[in-house]
Amino acid sequence: MTGDRKTPSGRERTFAHDELIVSKTDPKGRLTYVNDVFLTVSGYAEAEVMGKPHSVIRHPEMPRCIFKLLWDTIVDGREIFAYVNNMAKNGDNYWVFAHVTPNLDAAGQIIGYHSNRRVPEKAALETIKPLYRSLLEEERRHPDSKVGLERSWKMLNDAVATAGFDSYDRFIFTITPEN
C-alpha cells in the first residue's frame, strides 16, 4: 500500500448474507484484527491493513458527519448501528450495515472497538443513499471543511428529527427490514 488515495472504480461488490465482516481496532481506530471476510471483500492482505487506520477502507463519497456520529457515540462508550459505504483496495465500493461497540477493560475503560458488518437490505439503502448524497453535497459546498461538517451534521440531525425520531439509531431501525 503506497499511501496514495484510491480512486473509486464505479463498481459495486457485495458479500453473502450469511457472512460477517469483523474487525477490531485499538482506541485510536488502528486495526488490530480482521477476519477472512474483511480481507476477501476489501481485497487487502492482512499485512497491508494491520496497524493501519480503519479509514483505509473509507469511501470518499461517505459524508464525514456519519463518522462524526460514529466516533462521538463509541468514544462515549455506547454502541452504534450505521450504514457505511466502504472502498476496496481496487476502488470498488461495498455497502455494509455496521454494528460498532467499544471494548472495555475491567475498570470500564475503552481499550478498543469491535465492528461486525452485514450485507445491508436494498430497501434501506434506497433511503440511505439519497440522504448520504445530500449530506456529502452539503459538506463539499463549503470551502471551509469545518463549516461543511457542521452544516451536514445539522442537516443529518434535522433529517432524523423531521422523520420523527430522536436519534439516528431509532431512524435506522425504522428503515431496516427485519430478516
Side-chain angles (χ1 to χ4, degrees), residues 74-94:
I74 62 176
V75 167
D76 193 38
R78 297 176 288 129
E79 69 180 346
I80 188 168
F81 291 86
Y83 288 94
V84 179
N85 188 15
N86 290 321
M87 188 159 62
K89 182 179 179 179
N90 71 350
D92 292 355
N93 77 298
Y94 57 100

Side-chain angles (χ1 to χ4, degrees), residues 22-61:
V22 179
S23 59
K24 295 180 183 181
T25 71
D26 66 14
K28 299 282 186 191
R30 291 180 299 254
L31 290 161
T32 59
Y33 170 82
V34 295
N35 72 345
D36 289 343
V37 180
F38 179 107
L39 297 172
T40 299
V41 176
S42 72
Y44 285 101
E46 186 175 28
E48 292 178 293
V49 296
M50 295 308 291
K52 299 285 193 263
H54 203 290
S55 61
V56 70
I57 59 169
R58 181 177 178 182
H59 196 286
E61 293 177 7

Side-chain angles (χ1 to χ4, degrees), residues 114-140:
H114 179 114
S115 179
N116 290 328
R117 273 102 60 215
R118 300 179 186 284
V119 172
E121 296 297 327
K122 288 186 187 328
L125 290 179
E126 289 175 12
T127 300
I128 289 299
K129 285 180 178 182
L131 172 61
Y132 282 17
R133 219 174 358 262
S134 295
L135 295 170
L136 186 63
E137 287 170 5
E138 183 64 21
E139 287 176 4
R140 290 180 173 168

